[in-house]
Amino acid sequence: MLIFVTESVSKMWPVVILVWLSAPFGLSCTPDLQFPSWFKFGASTSSYQIEGAWNVSDKAESKWDRLTHTIPETFKQATGDVACDSYRLWRRDIEMIEELGLQFYRFSISWPRLLPSGFPNIISEDGKRYYNNLIDGLLEKGIEPVVTIYHFEMPEIFQELGGWTNPLISDWYADYARVVFSLFGDRVKTWITINEPSIECDYFHTSEMPYNAGLEHGVASYMCNKYVLIAHAKAWRIYDTEFRHKYNGKVSFSNHLLWLYPSSPEYEELTEISREFISGRYCHAVYSKEGGWPPVVEENVAKFGRKIGYTRTRLPPFTKEEIELVRGTYDYFGLNYYTTRLVRPSYPGESVNPSVFFSVIDVDAVFDIDPDWRNGLNKLLPIHPIGLRQQMEWVQKHYGEMEFIISENGYSSTGSNLNDYERISFIKDHLEQVLMSINEGINVTKYSYWGLMDDFEWLDGYRSNFGLYEVDFSDVNRTRTPRKSAAYYSGVIRNRSLCYEPTHIDINTIEI
Ligand code: NOJ
């Protein structure tokens, strides 16, 4: 048993550390449960979900400010106006990261906070100061800042001009990325250009979402898909030519990939085609040797389009120059992994989701959930840990060996839930798959749990909690309290092993 006593920097958080170490249930303590010395653990957040201060100083509106203020019913009456108040409480965030013993912290920069007009003609002094403080504060504690340049937070001015479906967005985004690299690139060495393009393009163009013009037959999703990849590529090339020689960092983007299995062996081919639609559409252009869209996607979009009377393909073609622009623009593979689906053709008379999220209308593929899979609160994210490893195997088989960073993986609960044993087994089960991947020769170097703390969870408002720390949203101080999963994760990190299971952790304690 280890007992330590410490006091937080703010003096408000005396933390008694009490951790029992014991043999882990279900695991025998073999050396392959040990993480290699180079492997790094972190946790993630994003600006709109935690910062608050939506109209402080010269910050401009993002699309989420506009949406939550105008159609609150879509967001369970919640807004990110205050969220976790991290704009004010960033020192406490760093303290939590330190308590956990994280080696890196992934956060995002708010485009409308840093560039109020959306363009680089005005750089907000307060925005710059906020991110400088956060980055410097992390580095002082020896924690690596991993920075997402865009995490769903489109400036409202650009959203009104079509957001990611407007071809000009790639230049607007690239100009913003250049500002970010030039302000923070001396200290930030791992960059994520864009978070989850597939959610941005496919999920945000489903009928549940307010911006759903062109959702029929994936029209808007496919447009967004192309321009988001071009935007990423332009940012990567800017870094490569203007900053890499000085700063020597790594730049990529983070894909949310949905792992797919056939629901019966005869659907293996349909499943592989569906993987190309769901994952390949966001990977092939960047990671494959030939670039561009996956050929099977091009063929099937054209074929189905002709069948239903389109005279032009809905998948905007890449020109030769665009293929070359996008191809090879990565330094690692960023993967957000949450869940898996089973693939089958639609039943006679069954209507297939007209958007391209969680189904593929172009090949008549429907995705199901295995009723035996466990669930957190979010029923869209049934838990299937082995899918994490199989997804990386698929990527590696298709695009070759490269470094993998797991930039997100998390479990949702609801209400006050400090004794979150389900989250502990979620983390353990996924980290076990990470270790198996490493032992199989996949170069996974980082794992980031989503999220550091409860936050504004988009359509779920504050109902869905992913945090290692529980946040009291009814308290003006947005008090953060570690859950048992925080103590567990911290124990894994400090022991660098899964061969660790706390049998009892006092609720307000965490290992330091
Ligand atoms: C992925 C997104 O990047 C993040 O914003 C979201 O909160 C988590 N998934 C959980 O849904």
Side-chain angles (χ1 to χ4, degrees), residues 113-215:
R113 187 181 301 289
L114 192 64
L115 303 185
S117 69
F119 295 101
N121 59 328
I122 304 165
I123 299 178
S124 162
E125 281 306 314
D126 282 340
K128 203 163 77 178
R129 188 173 312 114
Y130 174 66
Y131 295 113
N132 272 328
N133 283 338
L134 183 56
I135 291 168
D136 292 343
L138 289 166
L139 289 171
E140 268 165 34
K141 303 286 183 191
I143 300 152
E144 185 196 351
V146 170
V147 176
T148 313
I149 299 174
Y150 176 91
H151 195 120
F152 302 158
E153 217 180 339
M154 180 62 72
E156 173 61 19
I157 175 186
F158 295 145
Q159 188 59 48
E160 286 172 22
L161 297 173
W164 289 109
T165 60
N166 182 333
L168 292 179
I169 192 75
S170 66
D171 285 328
W172 301 334
Y173 169 82
D175 292 346
Y176 159 55
R178 179 183 281 108
V179 172
V180 172
F181 292 141
S182 62
L183 292 177
F184 311 118
D186 55 338
R187 287 153 293 153
V188 174
K189 303 296 165 190
T190 308
W191 293 101
I192 296 167
T193 54
I194 296 170
N195 179 62
E196 298 194 338
S198 65
I199 298 296
E200 184 79 52
C201 297
D202 298 354
Y203 182 52
F204 291 165
H205 292 101
T206 54
S207 50
E208 293 162 51
M209 295 303 296
Y211 294 115
N212 55 18
L215 86 91

Side-chain angles (χ1 to χ4, degrees), residues 85-98:
D85 207 3
S86 286
Y87 189 73
R88 191 168 62 89
L89 299 173
W90 59 272
R91 289 184 187 80
R92 170 68 186 134
D93 294 351
I94 297 180
E95 198 175 276
M96 284 145 56
I97 295 160
E98 213 192 351

